[in-house]
Amino acid sequence: MVYDIVIVGGGPSGSTLARMLDEKYKVLLIDKRNLYDEINFKREKCCGGLLAPDAQKVLAQFGLGLPKDVIVGPQMFSVRSIDIDNHILKYYQRHYINVHREKFDRWLLSLVPQNVQVMTSCIFKGYRETEGNIEVEVFNQGVTEKISTKLLVGADGATSKVRRMAFENDKLPDRYVSIQKWYKTSKESPHFISIFDEEVTDFYSWVIQKEDYAIVGAAILDYANANEKFQILVEKLRKKGYEFGKCIKREGTWIMRPRKLNQINLFKGNVALIGEAGGFISPSSAEGISYALKSGAILADCINHSMKNYGLRYKRKTTKLRINIFVKNLKSLLMYNKFTRKLIMKTGVLAMEVHKNVY
Ligand SMILES: Cc1cc2nc3c(=O)[nH]c(=O)nc-3n(C[C@H](O)[C@H](O)[C@H](O)COP(=O)(O)OP(=O)(O)OC[C@H]3O[C@@H](n4cnc5c(N)ncnc54)[C@H](O)[C@@H]3O)c2cc1C
């Protein structure tokens, strides 16, 4: 059988594309995760699971609201910014929704219509172009299979194999290793915490509470020393009075940080990229869910119009998204330079007062 479209990855970008493609197309979505099984998730996405206002807006534009079992406590209305480099602490109002990331992905996948074939626990191994079609090799339930398709879409995230194969000579975005450790906690933190500390990273670190766990995370460019740097972060937070109990889980993955517009790859012939695979993620905050949803929806719109010249339409319609990433890079220049950050934080612009004895 020849598919019209094979999508690699059932994260927010891949599920959105699959959900929005026209019924006239024969579509297959594959994901290496066991996204349908009842058993505990073997390959969870390492993520902070905060839905930013941009992501909330896209969901609203899709006509979607969140089911309640996707939401986790506590819901936080502020960020506590700890600038260790400049010894400054400030609070800013934020409007995130705290979600269970795996349940969020499973919910998005559950919205994909029946006409789309979905294969989970199925690993994309590679592809080669044949006459007019693309032959995709997958490892499905212990067996290697070959699948034919007209169009291949890489929605396979930061470590995208589709991208590495299709754009092997192009420059990737800066690749950070991100580590998250889940610590048992008995305290409730009403803030999302962001930490700026050059000794740990030139990007940032965070603490996010999910029910009885405090997730400590960091995105670190120097991956050779990432574990040591992460430990420095945890010790510094402990010295500041944060109580982290037993560590019950450690996660790690790459996180992309596109610094130049040519680090975003959209399509090459009949291979297209969406979401973080294409480099769509904020270089200032690492917020990626809104970009994944948007790029998935834009590509669906372009393909639904026609598969012919879909790439040029995709390029044109993602212009705003790419400009947005460019602007976030300018913001990064101010945020991640300790002198400009000091000036901005000292002025207290947009900051708010918080009662002193709050944890
Ligand atoms: C530590 C961390 C914290 C983050 N926190 C936030 C946050 O709080 N809020 C936010 O908005 N963004 C956050 N992000 C970014 C966000 O997680 C991503 O940008 C977003 O998930 C991208 O969606 P996607 O669909 O493009 O890719 P992904 O969500 O990465 O999905 C890719 C899918 O492809 C599958 N896949 C990969 N390779 C293969 C293969 N070879 N074969 C088959 N399947 C494959 C994976 O299993 C996965 O399901 C964070 C990222 C990291 C690393």
Side-chain angles (χ1 to χ4, degrees):
M1 187 207 304
V2 180
Y3 287 95
D4 292 310
I5 302 149
V6 169
I7 305 167
V8 181
S13 62
S15 295
T16 301
L17 172 66
R19 184 173 60 81
M20 298 179 92
L21 280 171
D22 209 289
E23 265 187 37
K24 69 183 177 211
Y25 294 121
K26 206 179 279 292
V27 182
L28 170 69
L29 182 150
I30 67 163
D31 198 293
K32 65 184 178 188
R33 286 191 278 169
N34 58 336
L35 286 157
Y36 286 143
D37 299 353
E38 284 301 314
I39 53 161
N40 239 346
F41 326 124
K42 278 191 231 152
R43 293 175 189 268
E44 264 185 59
K45 166 75 190 170
C46 169
C47 179
L50 292 181
L51 282 190
D54 278 350
Q56 296 167 31
K57 185 175 171 191
V58 189
L59 290 174
Q61 287 169 328
F62 290 167
L64 297 173
L66 284 179
K68 72 171 189 296
D69 70 323
V70 166
I71 296 168
V72 294
Q75 292 303 321
M76 299 159 283
F77 311 122
S78 59
V79 58
R80 180 183 224 233
S81 284
I82 307 174
D83 185 339
I84 294 183
D85 298 322
N86 293 311
H87 310 284
I88 304 176
L89 171 70
K90 291 278 181 209
Y91 295 88
Y92 299 91
Q93 189 179 12
R94 286 289 180 275
H95 304 280
Y96 295 116
I97 296 177
N98 198 2
V99 299
H100 187 296
R101 176 60 206 261
E102 191 74 16
K103 287 187 180 168
F104 176 71
D105 284 10
R106 286 176 175 230
W107 165 66
L108 284 177
L109 191 64
S110 75
L111 305 175
V112 172
Q114 296 282 317
N115 62 294
V116 173
Q117 197 188 337
V118 179
M119 295 194 326
T120 55
S121 303
C122 176
I123 302 171
F124 167 81
K125 301 297 279 183
Y127 78 89
R128 68 182 187 97
E129 308 218 19
T130 57
E131 276 161 38
N133 283 335
I134 295 176
E135 191 182 78
V136 180
E137 189 177 302
V138 299
F139 190 65
N140 185 28
Q141 318 285 341
V143 180
T144 300
E145 290 175 23
K146 291 200 168 38
I147 296 164
S148 246
T149 182
K150 292 179 189 152
L151 185 70
L152 174 67
V153 180
D156 45 346
T159 57
S160 175
K161 185 158 190 174
V162 178
R163 178 179 185 145
R164 274 181 282 132
M165 289 188 73
F167 298 91
E168 54 184 346
N169 298 322
D170 288 39
K171 192 156 167 25
L172 282 173
D174 291 358
R175 250 185 351 174
Y176 285 68
V177 64
S178 49
I179 299 173
Q180 287 198 147
K181 284 193 180 178
W182 292 57
Y183 295 94
K184 196 95 185 130
T185 183
S186 54
K187 290 202 172 169
E188 177 134 318
S189 169
H191 322 283
F192 158 51
I193 299 164
S194 63
I195 305 119
F196 302 95
D197 180 2
E198 280 185 351
E199 196 186 355
V200 176
T201 175
D202 66 344
F203 206 179
Y204 79 110
S205 311
W206 57 88
V207 183
I208 300 167
Q209 186 158 0
K210 303 257 176 211
E211 305 294 350
D212 298 335
Y213 300 99
I215 309 178
V216 182
I220 301 167
L221 189 58
D222 174 13
Y223 52 85
N225 298 306
N227 284 323
E228 293 77 47
K229 298 208 163 196
F230 188 85
Q231 220 33 56
I232 292 172
L233 167 73
V234 173
E235 291 316 317
K236 283 191 180 177
L237 288 172
R238 283 198 167 121
K239 277 196 190 134
K240 286 191 175 293
Y242 287 95
E243 285 173 25
F244 303 124
K246 195 172 171 215
C247 174
I248 59 104
K249 188 158 69 173
R250 182 191 188 281
E251 309 169 308
T253 188
W254 295 112
I255 195 162
M256 292 296 175
R257 198 175 183 199
R259 309 308 296 261
K260 296 190 181 122
L261 284 184
N262 66 4
Q263 292 174 334
I264 298 173
N265 288 134
L266 301 173
F267 73 101
K268 190 175 266 179
N270 288 334
V271 180
L273 299 173
I274 51 176
E276 208 176 329
F280 285 114
I281 182 165
S282 162
S284 59
S285 66
E287 190 275 321
I289 294 174
S290 70
Y291 294 90
L293 298 172
K294 282 182 197 167
S295 56
I298 293 173
L299 184 63
D301 188 41
C302 298
I303 296 173
N304 286 345
H305 186 272
S306 157
M307 275 177 54
K308 201 166 165 237
N309 291 332
Y310 82 92
L312 296 175
R313 282 191 294 282
Y314 184 45
K315 188 170 179 193
R316 198 177 62 244
K317 291 193 173 195
T318 48
T319 307
K320 254 170 91 176
L321 218 51
R322 286 178 286 126
I323 290 175
N324 174 291
I325 289 176
F326 175 75
V327 172
K328 295 253 164 104
N329 259 311
L330 298 180
K331 184 177 168 191
S332 275
L333 291 176
L334 300 176
M335 256 176 96
Y336 294 102
N337 175 301
K338 72 175 178 188
F339 301 106
T340 45
R341 189 172 64 240
K342 182 177 179 181
L343 279 176
I344 295 166
M345 287 180 85
K346 279 258 175 188
T347 62
V349 64
L350 299 177
M352 64 181 194
E353 289 295 315
V354 165
H355 206 276
K356 285 279 179 296
N357 58 10
V358 172
Y359 177 54

